[in-house]
Coordinates of all heavy atoms in Angstrom, one line a residue:
M1 N 135.8 53.5 63.8 CA 135.0 52.3 64.0 C 135.9 51.1 64.2 O 136.8 50.9 63.5 CB 134.0 52.1 62.9 CG 133.1 53.2 62.6 SD 131.6 53.0 63.5 CE 130.7 54.4 62.9
N2 N 135.5 50.2 65.1 CA 136.1 48.9 65.3 C 135.2 47.8 64.9 O 134.1 47.7 65.4 CB 136.6 48.8 66.7 CG 137.7 49.8 67.1 OD1 138.4 50.2 66.2 ND2 137.8 50.1 68.3
T3 N 135.7 46.9 64.1 CA 134.9 45.7 63.7 C 135.5 44.5 64.2 O 136.7 44.3 64.2 CB 134.9 45.7 62.2 OG1 134.3 46.9 61.7 CG2 134.0 44.5 61.7
W4 N 134.7 43.6 64.8 CA 135.1 42.3 65.4 C 134.4 41.2 64.7 O 133.2 41.3 64.5 CB 134.9 42.3 66.9 CG 135.9 43.1 67.6 CD1 135.7 44.5 67.9 CD2 137.1 42.7 68.1 NE1 136.8 44.9 68.6 CE2 137.7 43.9 68.7 CE3 137.8 41.5 68.2 CZ2 138.9 43.8 69.4 CZ3 139.0 41.5 68.8 CH2 139.6 42.6 69.4
L5 N 135.1 40.2 64.3 CA 134.5 39.0 63.7 C 134.9 37.8 64.6 O 136.1 37.5 64.8 CB 134.9 38.7 62.3 CG 134.3 37.5 61.6 CD1 132.8 37.7 61.6 CD2 134.9 37.4 60.2
T6 N 134.0 37.2 65.3 CA 134.3 36.1 66.2 C 133.7 34.8 65.7 O 132.5 34.7 65.3 CB 133.7 36.4 67.6 OG1 134.2 37.7 68.0 CG2 134.0 35.4 68.6
S7 N 134.5 33.7 65.7 CA 134.1 32.4 65.3 C 133.7 31.6 66.6 O 134.5 31.6 67.5 CB 135.2 31.7 64.6 OG 135.5 32.3 63.4
I8 N 132.5 31.0 66.5 CA 132.0 30.3 67.7 C 131.6 28.9 67.2 O 130.7 28.8 66.3 CB 130.8 31.0 68.4 CG1 131.2 32.4 68.8 CG2 130.3 30.2 69.6 CD1 130.1 33.3 69.2
H9 N 132.2 27.8 67.8 CA 131.8 26.5 67.5 C 131.1 25.8 68.7 O 131.8 25.7 69.7 CB 133.1 25.7 67.1 CG 132.8 24.3 66.6 ND1 133.8 23.4 66.5 CD2 131.6 23.7 66.3 CE1 133.3 22.2 66.0 NE2 132.0 22.4 65.9
I10 N 129.9 25.5 68.6 CA 129.1 25.0 69.6 C 129.0 23.5 69.5 O 128.9 22.9 68.3 CB 127.7 25.6 69.6 CG1 127.7 27.1 69.8 CG2 126.7 25.0 70.6 CD1 128.3 27.6 71.1
K11 N 128.9 22.7 70.6 CA 128.7 21.3 70.5 C 127.3 21.1 69.9 O 126.3 21.8 70.3 CB 128.7 20.7 71.9 CG 130.1 20.8 72.6 CD 130.0 20.3 74.0 CE 131.3 20.6 74.7 NZ 131.2 20.4 76.2
P12 N 127.1 20.2 68.9 CA 125.9 20.1 68.2 C 124.6 20.0 69.0 O 123.6 20.5 68.7 CB 126.1 18.9 67.3 CG 127.6 18.8 67.1 CD 128.2 19.3 68.4
E13 N 124.8 19.3 70.1 CA 123.6 19.0 71.0 C 123.2 20.3 71.8 O 122.1 20.3 72.4 CB 123.9 17.9 72.0 CG 125.0 18.1 73.0 CD 126.4 17.7 72.5 OE1 126.6 17.6 71.3 OE2 127.3 17.6 73.4
H14 N 124.0 21.4 71.7 CA 123.7 22.6 72.4 C 123.3 23.8 71.5 O 123.1 24.9 72.0 CB 124.9 23.0 73.3 CG 125.1 22.1 74.4 ND1 124.3 22.0 75.5 CD2 126.2 21.2 74.6 CE1 124.8 21.1 76.3 NE2 125.9 20.6 75.8
V15 N 123.1 23.5 70.2 CA 122.8 24.6 69.3 C 121.5 25.4 69.7 O 121.5 26.6 69.7 CB 122.8 24.1 67.8 CG1 122.2 25.2 66.9 CG2 124.1 23.7 67.4
D16 N 120.5 24.7 69.9 CA 119.2 25.3 70.3 C 119.3 26.1 71.6 O 118.8 27.2 71.7 CB 118.1 24.3 70.4 CG 117.7 23.7 69.0 OD1 118.0 24.3 68.0 OD2 117.1 22.6 69.0
E17 N 120.0 25.6 72.5 CA 120.2 26.2 73.8 C 121.1 27.5 73.6 O 120.8 28.5 74.2 CB 120.9 25.3 74.8 CG 121.0 25.9 76.2 CD 121.7 24.9 77.2 OE1 122.1 23.8 76.7 OE2 121.8 25.2 78.3
F18 N 122.1 27.4 72.8 CA 123.0 28.5 72.5 C 122.2 29.7 71.9 O 122.3 30.8 72.3 CB 124.1 28.1 71.6 CG 124.9 29.2 71.0 CD1 125.8 29.9 71.8 CD2 124.7 29.7 69.7 CE1 126.5 31.0 71.3 CE2 125.4 30.7 69.2 CZ 126.3 31.4 70.0
L19 N 121.3 29.3 70.9 CA 120.5 30.3 70.3 C 119.5 31.0 71.3 O 119.3 32.2 71.2 CB 119.7 29.7 69.1 CG 120.6 29.4 67.9 CD1 119.9 28.6 66.9 CD2 121.2 30.6 67.2
A20 N 118.9 30.2 72.1 CA 118.0 30.7 73.1 C 118.7 31.7 74.1 O 118.1 32.7 74.5 CB 117.3 29.6 73.9
I21 N 119.9 31.4 74.5 CA 120.7 32.2 75.4 C 121.2 33.4 74.7 O 121.3 34.5 75.3 CB 121.8 31.4 76.1 CG1 121.2 30.4 77.0 CG2 122.8 32.3 76.7 CD1 122.2 29.4 77.6
T22 N 121.5 33.3 73.4 CA 122.2 34.4 72.7 C 121.2 35.5 72.3 O 121.5 36.7 72.2 CB 122.9 33.9 71.5 OG1 123.9 32.9 72.0 CG2 123.6 35.0 70.7
A23 N 119.9 35.1 72.1 CA 118.9 36.1 71.7 C 118.8 37.3 72.7 O 118.9 38.4 72.3 CB 117.6 35.4 71.4
P24 N 118.6 37.0 74.0 CA 118.5 38.1 74.9 C 119.8 38.9 75.0 O 119.8 40.1 75.2 CB 118.0 37.5 76.2 CG 118.2 36.0 76.1 CD 118.2 35.7 74.6
F25 N 120.9 38.2 74.9 CA 122.2 38.8 75.0 C 122.4 39.8 73.8 O 122.8 40.9 74.0 CB 123.3 37.7 74.9 CG 124.7 38.3 74.5 CD1 125.4 39.1 75.3 CD2 125.2 38.0 73.2 CE1 126.6 39.6 74.9 CE2 126.4 38.6 72.8 CZ 127.1 39.3 73.7
A26 N 121.9 39.4 72.7 CA 122.0 40.3 71.5 C 121.1 41.5 71.7 O 121.5 42.7 71.4 CB 121.6 39.6 70.2
G27 N 119.9 41.3 72.3 CA 119.1 42.4 72.5 C 119.7 43.4 73.5 O 119.6 44.7 73.3
E28 N 120.3 42.9 74.6 CA 121.0 43.8 75.5 C 122.2 44.5 74.9 O 122.4 45.7 75.1 CB 121.4 43.0 76.7 CG 120.3 42.6 77.6 CD 119.6 43.7 78.3 OE1 120.2 44.7 78.7 OE2 118.3 43.6 78.4
S29 N 122.9 43.8 74.1 CA 124.1 44.4 73.4 C 123.7 45.5 72.5 O 124.3 46.6 72.4 CB 124.8 43.3 72.6 OG 125.4 42.4 73.5
L30 N 122.6 45.4 71.8 CA 122.1 46.4 70.8 C 121.6 47.7 71.5 O 121.5 48.7 70.9 CB 121.0 45.8 69.9 CG 121.5 44.8 68.9 CD1 120.3 44.1 68.3 CD2 122.3 45.5 67.8
R31 N 121.4 47.6 72.8 CA 121.0 48.8 73.6 C 122.3 49.6 74.0 O 122.1 50.7 74.5 CB 120.2 48.4 74.8 CG 118.8 47.9 74.5 CD 118.1 47.6 75.8 NE 116.8 46.9 75.5 CZ 116.7 45.6 75.3 NH1 117.7 44.8 75.3 NH2 115.5 45.1 75.1
E32 N 123.5 49.0 73.8 CA 124.7 49.7 74.2 C 124.9 50.9 73.3 O 124.8 50.7 72.0 CB 125.9 48.8 74.1 CG 125.9 47.7 75.1 CD 127.1 46.7 74.9 OE1 128.1 47.1 74.4 OE2 126.9 45.6 75.4
S33 N 125.2 52.1 73.8 CA 125.4 53.2 73.0 C 126.6 53.1 72.1 O 126.7 53.7 71.0 CB 125.5 54.5 73.8 OG 126.6 54.4 74.7
G34 N 127.6 52.3 72.4 CA 128.8 52.2 71.6 C 128.8 51.2 70.6 O 129.7 51.1 69.7
L35 N 127.7 50.4 70.5 CA 127.6 49.3 69.5 C 126.8 49.9 68.3 O 125.7 50.4 68.4 CB 126.8 48.1 70.0 CG 126.7 46.9 69.1 CD1 128.0 46.3 68.7 CD2 125.8 45.9 69.8
V36 N 127.5 49.8 67.1 CA 126.9 50.3 65.9 C 126.0 49.3 65.2 O 125.0 49.5 64.7 CB 128.0 50.9 65.0 CG1 127.4 51.3 63.6 CG2 128.8 52.0 65.6
S37 N 126.6 48.1 65.2 CA 125.9 47.0 64.4 C 126.3 45.6 65.0 O 127.4 45.5 65.6 CB 126.4 47.0 63.0 OG 125.8 46.0 62.2
F38 N 125.4 44.7 64.9 CA 125.6 43.3 65.5 C 124.9 42.3 64.6 O 123.7 42.6 64.1 CB 125.1 43.3 66.9 CG 125.0 41.9 67.4 CD1 126.1 41.4 68.1 CD2 123.9 41.0 67.3 CE1 126.1 40.1 68.6 CE2 123.9 39.8 67.8 CZ 125.0 39.3 68.5
A39 N 125.5 41.2 64.3 CA 124.9 40.1 63.6 C 125.4 38.8 64.0 O 126.6 38.7 64.3 CB 125.1 40.3 62.1
L40 N 124.5 37.8 64.1 CA 124.9 36.5 64.4 C 124.6 35.6 63.2 O 123.5 35.6 62.7 CB 124.2 35.9 65.6 CG 124.5 34.4 66.0 CD1 126.0 34.3 66.5 CD2 123.6 33.9 67.0
L41 N 125.6 35.0 62.6 CA 125.5 34.2 61.4 C 125.7 32.7 61.7 O 126.6 32.4 62.5 CB 126.5 34.7 60.4 CG 126.5 36.2 60.1 CD1 127.7 36.5 59.3 CD2 125.2 36.6 59.5
Q42 N 124.8 31.9 61.2 CA 125.0 30.4 61.4 C 125.4 29.8 60.1 O 124.7 30.1 59.0 CB 123.6 29.8 61.9 CG 123.7 28.4 62.3 CD 122.4 27.9 62.8 OE1 121.3 28.4 62.4 NE2 122.4 26.9 63.7
Q43 N 126.4 29.0 60.1 CA 126.8 28.4 58.8 C 125.8 27.4 58.3 O 125.2 26.6 59.0 CB 128.1 27.6 59.0 CG 129.3 28.5 59.2 CD 130.6 27.7 59.2 OE1 130.7 26.5 58.8 NE2 131.7 28.3 59.5
A44 N 125.5 27.5 57.0 CA 124.4 26.7 56.4 C 124.9 25.2 56.3 O 124.1 24.3 56.5 CB 124.1 27.2 55.0
N45 N 126.2 24.9 56.1 CA 126.6 23.6 56.0 C 127.1 22.9 57.3 O 127.4 21.7 57.3 CB 127.8 23.5 54.9 CG 129.0 24.3 55.4 OD1 128.9 25.1 56.2 ND2 130.1 24.0 54.7
D46 N 127.1 23.7 58.4 CA 127.5 23.2 59.7 C 126.8 24.1 60.7 O 127.3 25.1 61.2 CB 129.0 23.2 59.9 CG 129.4 22.6 61.2 OD1 128.6 22.3 62.1 OD2 130.6 22.4 61.4
P47 N 125.6 23.7 61.1 CA 124.8 24.6 62.0 C 125.3 24.7 63.4 O 124.8 25.5 64.2 CB 123.4 23.9 62.0 CG 123.5 22.7 61.2 CD 124.8 22.6 60.6
A48 N 126.4 24.1 63.7 CA 127.0 24.2 65.1 C 128.1 25.3 65.0 O 128.7 25.6 66.0 CB 127.6 22.9 65.6
R49 N 128.3 25.9 63.9 CA 129.3 27.0 63.7 C 128.7 28.3 63.4 O 127.8 28.4 62.6 CB 130.3 26.6 62.6 CG 131.2 25.4 63.0 CD 132.3 25.2 61.9 NE 133.1 24.0 62.3 CZ 134.2 24.0 63.0 NH1 134.6 25.2 63.5 NH2 134.8 22.9 63.3
F50 N 129.1 29.3 64.2 CA 128.5 30.6 64.1 C 129.6 31.6 63.9 O 130.8 31.4 64.3 CB 127.8 31.0 65.4 CG 126.6 30.1 65.6 CD1 126.7 28.9 66.3 CD2 125.3 30.5 65.2 CE1 125.6 28.0 66.5 CE2 124.2 29.7 65.5 CZ 124.4 28.4 66.1
S51 N 129.3 32.8 63.3 CA 130.1 33.9 63.3 C 129.3 35.1 63.9 O 128.2 35.3 63.6 CB 130.5 34.3 61.9 OG 131.3 33.3 61.3
M52 N 130.0 35.9 64.7 CA 129.4 37.0 65.4 C 130.1 38.2 64.8 O 131.4 38.3 64.9 CB 129.5 36.9 66.9 CG 128.7 37.9 67.6 SD 128.7 37.6 69.4 CE 127.6 36.2 69.5
F53 N 129.4 39.2 64.2 CA 130.0 40.4 63.6 C 129.5 41.6 64.4 O 128.3 41.8 64.5 CB 129.5 40.4 62.2 CG 129.9 41.6 61.4 CD1 131.2 41.7 60.9 CD2 129.1 42.7 61.2 CE1 131.7 42.8 60.2 CE2 129.5 43.8 60.5 CZ 130.8 43.9 60.0
D54 N 130.4 42.3 65.0 CA 130.1 43.4 65.9 C 130.9 44.7 65.3 O 132.1 44.5 65.0 CB 130.6 43.2 67.3 CG 130.1 42.0 67.9 OD1 130.3 40.9 67.4 OD2 129.5 42.1 69.0
V55 N 130.3 45.8 65.3 CA 130.9 47.1 65.0 C 130.7 48.0 66.2 O 129.6 48.3 66.6 CB 130.4 47.7 63.7 CG1 131.1 49.0 63.4 CG2 130.5 46.7 62.5
Y56 N 131.8 48.6 66.7 CA 131.8 49.5 67.8 C 132.3 50.8 67.4 O 133.1 50.9 66.5 CB 132.6 49.0 69.0 CG 132.1 47.7 69.5 CD1 132.5 46.4 69.0 CD2 131.2 47.7 70.6 CE1 132.0 45.3 69.5 CE2 130.7 46.5 71.1 CZ 131.1 45.3 70.6 OH 130.6 44.2 71.1
H57 N 131.9 51.9 68.1 CA 132.4 53.2 67.8 C 133.9 53.3 68.0 O 134.6 54.0 67.2 CB 131.7 54.3 68.6 CG 130.3 54.6 68.2 ND1 130.0 55.3 67.0 CD2 129.1 54.3 68.8 CE1 128.7 55.4 66.9 NE2 128.1 54.8 67.9
D58 N 134.4 52.7 69.0 CA 135.8 52.8 69.3 C 136.2 51.7 70.3 O 135.4 50.9 70.7 CB 136.1 54.2 69.9 CG 135.2 54.6 71.1 OD1 134.8 53.7 71.9 OD2 135.0 55.8 71.3
D59 N 137.5 51.7 70.7 CA 138.0 50.7 71.6 C 137.4 50.7 72.9 O 137.1 49.7 73.5 CB 139.6 50.8 71.8 CG 140.4 50.4 70.6 OD1 139.9 49.6 69.8 OD2 141.5 50.9 70.4
Q60 N 137.1 51.9 73.4 CA 136.4 52.1 74.7 C 135.1 51.4 74.7 O 134.7 50.7 75.7 CB 136.3 53.5 75.1 CG 135.7 53.7 76.5 CD 135.6 55.2 76.9 OE1 136.1 56.1 76.2 NE2 134.9 55.4 78.0
A61 N 134.3 51.6 73.7 CA 133.0 51.0 73.6 C 133.1 49.4 73.6 O 132.3 48.8 74.3 CB 132.3 51.4 72.3
Y62 N 134.1 48.9 72.9 CA 134.3 47.5 72.9 C 134.7 47.0 74.3 O 134.1 46.0 74.8 CB 135.4 47.1 71.9 CG 135.7 45.6 71.9 CD1 134.8 44.7 71.5 CD2 136.9 45.2 72.4 CE1 135.1 43.3 71.5 CE2 137.2 43.8 72.4 CZ 136.3 42.9 72.0 OH 136.6 41.6 72.0
E63 N 135.6 47.7 75.0 CA 136.0 47.3 76.3 C 134.9 47.4 77.3 O 134.7 46.5 78.2 CB 137.2 48.2 76.8 CG 138.5 48.0 76.0 CD 139.0 46.5 76.1 OE1 138.9 45.9 77.2 OE2 139.5 46.1 75.1
E64 N 134.0 48.4 77.2 CA 132.8 48.5 78.1 C 131.9 47.3 77.8 O 131.3 46.8 78.8 CB 132.1 49.8 77.8 CG 132.9 51.0 78.4 CD 132.3 52.3 78.1 OE1 131.1 52.3 77.6 OE2 132.9 53.3 78.3
H65 N 131.8 46.9 76.6 CA 130.9 45.7 76.3 C 131.4 44.5 77.0 O 130.6 43.7 77.6 CB 130.9 45.5 74.7 CG 130.3 44.2 74.3 ND1 128.9 44.0 74.5 CD2 130.8 43.1 73.8 CE1 128.6 42.8 74.0 NE2 129.8 42.2 73.7
L66 N 132.7 44.3 76.9 CA 133.3 43.1 77.6 C 133.2 43.1 79.1 O 133.2 42.0 79.7 CB 134.8 43.0 77.2 CG 135.2 42.8 75.7 CD1 136.7 42.7 75.6 CD2 134.5 41.5 75.2
K67 N 132.9 44.2 79.7 CA 132.7 44.3 81.1 C 131.2 44.3 81.5 O 130.9 44.3 82.7 CB 133.4 45.6 81.7 CG 134.9 45.6 81.5 CD 135.5 46.9 81.9 CE 137.0 47.0 81.6 NZ 137.5 48.3 81.9
S68 N 130.4 44.4 80.5 CA 128.9 44.5 80.8 C 128.4 43.2 81.5 O 128.9 42.1 81.2 CB 128.1 44.8 79.5 OG 128.2 43.7 78.7
A69 N 127.4 43.4 82.3 CA 126.8 42.3 83.0 C 126.2 41.3 82.0 O 126.4 40.1 82.2 CB 125.7 42.8 84.0
H70 N 125.5 41.7 81.0 CA 124.9 40.8 80.0 C 126.0 40.0 79.3 O 125.8 38.8 79.0 CB 123.9 41.5 79.1 CG 124.5 42.5 78.2 ND1 124.7 43.8 78.7 CD2 125.1 42.5 77.0 CE1 125.2 44.6 77.7 NE2 125.5 43.8 76.7
Y71 N 127.1 40.6 79.0 CA 128.2 39.8 78.3 C 128.8 38.8 79.2 O 129.0 37.6 78.8 CB 129.3 40.8 77.8 CG 130.5 40.0 77.3 CD1 130.4 39.6 75.9 CD2 131.6 39.8 78.0 CE1 131.5 38.9 75.4 CE2 132.7 39.1 77.5 CZ 132.6 38.6 76.2 OH 133.7 37.9 75.7
L72 N 129.0 39.2 80.5 CA 129.6 38.2 81.4 C 128.7 37.1 81.7 O 129.1 35.9 81.8 CB 130.0 39.0 82.7 CG 131.1 40.0 82.6 CD1 131.3 40.8 83.8 CD2 132.4 39.4 82.1
V73 N 127.4 37.3 81.9 CA 126.4 36.3 82.1 C 126.4 35.4 80.8 O 126.4 34.1 81.0 CB 125.0 36.8 82.4 CG1 123.9 35.8 82.3 CG2 125.0 37.5 83.8
W74 N 126.3 35.9 79.7 CA 126.3 35.2 78.4 C 127.5 34.3 78.3 O 127.4 33.1 78.0 CB 126.1 36.1 77.2 CG 126.2 35.4 75.9 CD1 125.1 34.7 75.3 CD2 127.2 35.4 75.0 NE1 125.5 34.3 74.1 CE2 126.8 34.7 73.8 CE3 128.5 35.9 75.0 CZ2 127.6 34.4 72.7 CZ3 129.3 35.7 73.9 CH2 128.9 34.9 72.8
M75 N 128.7 34.9 78.5 CA 129.9 34.1 78.4 C 129.9 32.9 79.4 O 130.3 31.8 79.0 CB 131.2 34.9 78.6 CG 131.6 35.7 77.3 SD 132.0 34.6 75.9 CE 133.3 33.6 76.5
N76 N 129.5 33.2 80.6 CA 129.5 32.1 81.6 C 128.5 31.0 81.2 O 128.7 29.8 81.4 CB 129.1 32.7 83.0 CG 129.2 31.7 84.1 OD1 130.2 31.1 84.2 ND2 128.1 31.6 84.8
S77 N 127.4 31.4 80.6 CA 126.3 30.5 80.2 C 126.7 29.6 79.0 O 126.3 28.5 78.9 CB 125.1 31.2 79.8 OG 124.6 31.9 80.9
I78 N 127.5 30.1 78.1 CA 127.9 29.3 76.9 C 129.2 28.6 77.0 O 129.4 27.7 76.1 CB 127.9 30.2 75.6 CG1 129.1 31.2 75.6 CG2 126.5 30.9 75.4 CD1 129.4 31.7 74.2
T79 N 130.0 28.8 78.0 CA 131.3 28.2 78.0 C 131.3 26.7 77.9 O 132.1 26.1 77.2 CB 132.1 28.7 79.3 OG1 132.2 30.1 79.2 CG2 133.5 28.1 79.4
S80 N 130.4 26.1 78.6 CA 130.3 24.6 78.6 C 129.7 24.1 77.3 O 129.9 22.9 77.0 CB 129.5 24.1 79.8 OG 128.1 24.5 79.7
M81 N 129.1 25.0 76.5 CA 128.6 24.6 75.2 C 129.6 24.6 74.1 O 129.3 24.1 73.0 CB 127.4 25.5 74.8 CG 126.3 25.5 75.8 SD 125.0 26.7 75.2 CE 124.2 27.0 76.7
L82 N 130.7 25.2 74.3 CA 131.7 25.4 73.2 C 132.4 24.1 72.9 O 132.9 23.4 73.8 CB 132.8 26.4 73.7 CG 132.3 27.9 73.9 CD1 133.4 28.7 74.4 CD2 131.8 28.5 72.6
A83 N 132.5 23.8 71.6 CA 133.2 22.6 71.1 C 134.7 22.9 71.2 O 135.5 22.0 71.2 CB 132.8 22.2 69.7
E84 N 135.1 24.2 71.1 CA 136.5 24.7 71.1 C 136.4 26.1 71.5 O 135.4 26.8 71.4 CB 137.1 24.5 69.8 CG 136.5 25.3 68.6 CD 137.0 24.9 67.3 OE1 138.0 25.5 66.9 OE2 136.4 24.1 66.6
P85 N 137.5 26.7 72.0 CA 137.5 28.1 72.4 C 137.1 29.0 71.2 O 137.5 28.7 70.0 CB 138.9 28.4 72.8 CG 139.5 27.0 73.2 CD 138.8 26.0 72.3
S86 N 136.4 30.0 71.4 CA 136.0 30.9 70.4 C 137.2 31.8 70.0 O 138.2 31.9 70.8 CB 134.9 31.9 70.8 OG 135.2 32.6 71.9
S87 N 137.2 32.3 68.8 CA 138.4 33.1 68.3 C 137.8 34.3 67.7 O 136.8 34.3 66.9 CB 139.3 32.3 67.4 OG 138.6 32.0 66.2
G88 N 138.4 35.5 68.0 CA 138.0 36.7 67.4 C 139.1 37.5 66.8 O 140.3 37.4 67.3
S89 N 138.8 38.4 65.9 CA 139.8 39.2 65.3 C 139.2 40.6 65.0 O 138.1 40.8 64.6 CB 140.4 38.6 64.0 OG 139.4 38.5 63.1
K90 N 140.0 41.6 65.3 CA 139.7 43.0 65.1 C 140.0 43.4 63.7 O 141.1 43.0 63.2 CB 140.4 43.9 66.1 CG 140.1 45.4 66.0 CD 140.8 46.2 67.0 CE 140.6 47.7 66.8 NZ 141.4 48.4 67.8
S91 N 139.1 44.1 63.0 CA 139.4 44.5 61.6 C 139.0 45.9 61.5 O 138.3 46.5 62.3 CB 138.5 43.6 60.7 OG 138.8 42.3 60.8
T92 N 139.4 46.5 60.4 CA 139.1 47.8 60.0 C 138.1 47.7 58.8 O 138.5 47.1 57.8 CB 140.3 48.7 59.7 OG1 141.1 48.7 60.8 CG2 139.9 50.1 59.3
A93 N 137.0 48.3 58.9 CA 136.0 48.3 57.7 C 136.4 49.3 56.7 O 136.7 50.5 57.1 CB 134.6 48.5 58.2
Y94 N 136.5 48.9 55.5 CA 136.8 49.9 54.4 C 135.6 50.2 53.5 O 135.5 51.3 52.9 CB 138.0 49.4 53.5 CG 139.3 49.4 54.3 CD1 139.8 48.3 54.9 CD2 140.0 50.6 54.4 CE1 141.0 48.4 55.6 CE2 141.1 50.7 55.1 CZ 141.7 49.6 55.7 OH 142.8 49.7 56.4
L95 N 134.8 49.2 53.3 CA 133.6 49.4 52.4 C 132.4 48.8 53.1 O 132.5 47.7 53.7 CB 133.8 48.7 51.1 CG 134.9 49.2 50.2 CD1 135.1 48.3 49.0 CD2 134.6 50.6 49.7
P96 N 131.2 49.3 53.0 CA 131.0 50.7 52.6 C 131.4 51.7 53.7 O 131.4 51.4 54.9 CB 129.5 50.7 52.4 CG 128.9 49.6 53.3 CD 130.1 48.6 53.4

């Protein structure tokens, strides 16, 4: 299993638009056979900051996700909303 944690900082005036665009993206992502789990978290003390938590079966599933039409459309749609470039890191889950 591959776990990814991505930090996303949105310009405050685009938070509602980001959430509206991300909801259908999340739905499409959850239909991918290689995606095990997905969560979008919004910081309570800074609502323009989000964390995206994804778990994939393997590297191939993650790479396929990055090439999917819904991912490419979503990335193109949110790029102008970013306050700074997003950053992600691959991790290995140990518990549970």
Side-chain angles (χ1 to χ4, degrees):
M1 300 270 182
N2 293 334
T3 303
W4 286 86
L5 184 62
T6 304
S7 297
I8 303 169
H9 185 193
I10 299 298
K11 296 172 187 170
E13 65 272 20
H14 292 293
V15 168
D16 291 339
E17 184 181 5
F18 170 76
L19 289 169
I21 289 171
T22 301
F25 160 73
E28 289 294 321
S29 295
L30 287 167
R31 289 182 188 84
E32 296 176 21
S33 62
L35 183 63
V36 176
S37 180
F38 171 89
L40 177 67
L41 310 169
Q42 186 178 31
Q43 286 188 12
N45 64 344
D46 187 350
R49 293 187 182 269
F50 296 85
S51 296
M52 194 171 285
F53 178 76
D54 306 54
V55 180
Y56 296 89
H57 284 291
D58 52 31
D59 287 336
Q60 181 180 351
Y62 176 71
E63 293 300 324
E64 288 175 11
H65 169 71
L66 295 180
K67 295 175 186 173
S68 68
H70 60 274
Y71 175 81
L72 297 172
V73 167
W74 177 76
M75 278 303 298
N76 187 52
S77 299
I78 70 158
T79 299
S80 65
M81 299 178 204
L82 296 173
E84 60 189 275
S86 60
S87 63
S89 61
K90 181 180 176 183
S91 302
T92 301
Y94 288 99
L95 296 172

